[in-house]
Amino acid sequence: VISLIINPIVILFQLKKRKSETRLLFILLGVSDYLTLFLTPLVNITSFLDPLPDTISPDPVWYQRYSTWSSEITVQYSAFLTSILSLTRYISIAFPFYRIKTSLL
């Protein structure tokens, strides 16, 4: 519930800042977390409320594949963005006069 409130605030705050690679990464991370907030519970509720998926769906394995796929993608994407954000912060601290071009990201 807290993430539901804080993520849009972070995204709006970052949109008001000047364009930079950190701003872009924070926006992408906020959007990723916000999608994860909605996608994961939706998949879990759908699989929980469907008592017999083989009677309704011709491919009951589809629910399991989609659930696993969606959770893996959202977790991996957030971890990747956090790693890139950490790397860009390291570069900006270690080499303060080096400017990372946003087009490279």
Side-chain angles (χ1 to χ4, degrees):
V1 175
I2 294 173
S3 183
L4 184 68
I5 298 168
I6 292 178
N7 274 330
I9 292 172
V10 169
I11 292 169
L12 290 174
F13 176 74
Q14 291 297 326
L15 285 174
K16 292 180 181 181
K17 292 176 73 174
R18 68 176 177 84
K19 291 185 178 183
S20 68
E21 67 283 343
T22 306
R23 172 187 175 252
L24 174 68
L25 290 170
F26 268 121
I27 291 171
L28 289 175
L29 188 61
V31 169
S32 170
D33 289 343
Y34 205 67
L35 289 176
T36 304
L37 176 71
F38 287 112
L39 187 63
T40 305
L42 183 66
V43 169
N44 291 338
I45 289 171
T46 304
S47 63
F48 178 73
L49 292 178
D50 192 9
L52 299 171
D54 56 342
T55 60
I56 297 170
S57 174
D59 186 12
V61 180
W62 181 83
Y63 282 115
Q64 296 169 348
R65 287 183 186 160
Y66 181 73
S67 175
T68 304
W69 179 80
S70 64
S71 62
E72 285 293 320
I73 290 294
T74 53
V75 167
Q76 297 295 333
Y77 187 66
S78 291
F80 174 73
L81 285 175
T82 304
S83 301
I84 297 295
L85 186 60
S86 299
L87 182 65
T88 57
R89 284 185 167 186
Y90 168 75
I91 291 172
S92 67
I93 291 171
F95 308 103
F97 299 108
Y98 180 75
R99 173 105 171 111
I100 299 174
K101 296 178 183 169
T102 308
S103 62
L104 295 175
L105 298 175

